[in-house]
């Protein structure tokens, strides 16, 4: 079965390095199906795969709400703060 590697694999296969990403190779059917099922490779067909085009999601193109773009007013406390240190002589 002919497959195209999608992920680089380290190590050796039958004493030879794995093919690099994008390279087409022949493997036994069982091993090739396992690699395809796990997403490491894809089966090669005679027709070239359709070119994928990315379209931005609505969330990526939306403007941020006003609350996320404004900074908090200066001089307002947000909590109690850290406790004060006492001098060593008072302990």
């Amino acid at each position: 079965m002919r497959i195209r590697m999608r992920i680089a694999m380290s190590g050796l296969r039958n004493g030879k390095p794995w093919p690099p990403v994008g390279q087409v190779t022949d493997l036994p059917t069982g091993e090739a199906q396992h690699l395809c099922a796990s997403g490491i490779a894809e089966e090669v067909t005679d027709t070239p795969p359709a070119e994928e085009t990315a379209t931005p999601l609505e969330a990526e193109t939306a403007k941020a709400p006003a609350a996320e773009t404004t900074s908090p007013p200066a001089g307002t406390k947000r909590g109690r703060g850290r406790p004060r240190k006492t001098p060593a002589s008072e302990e």
Side-chain angles (χ1 to χ4, degrees):
M1 181 176 189
R2 293 173 48 96
I3 62 166
R4 178 178 294 112
M5 297 300 290
R6 295 177 61 195
I7 296 177
M9 292 185 57
S10 63
L12 302 174
R13 183 189 171 278
N14 294 338
K16 297 179 184 175
W18 281 94
V21 174
Q23 185 174 348
V24 176
T25 188
D26 257 337
L27 290 179
T29 303
E31 188 174 354
Q33 286 175 343
H34 174 68
L35 292 174
C36 290
S38 62
I40 295 173
E42 60 188 3
E43 184 177 357
V44 175
T45 59
D46 291 336
T47 59
E51 186 173 324
E52 295 182 16
T53 58
T55 56
L57 298 175
E58 186 177 328
E60 294 175 344
T61 58
K63 279 184 109 177
E68 293 180 7
T69 58
T70 59
S71 59
T76 58
K77 283 187 86 174
R78 295 186 314 181
R80 290 181 50 200
R82 295 173 59 173
R84 294 196 170 155
K85 292 184 178 181
T86 58
S89 61
E90 290 182 17
E91 290 181 357

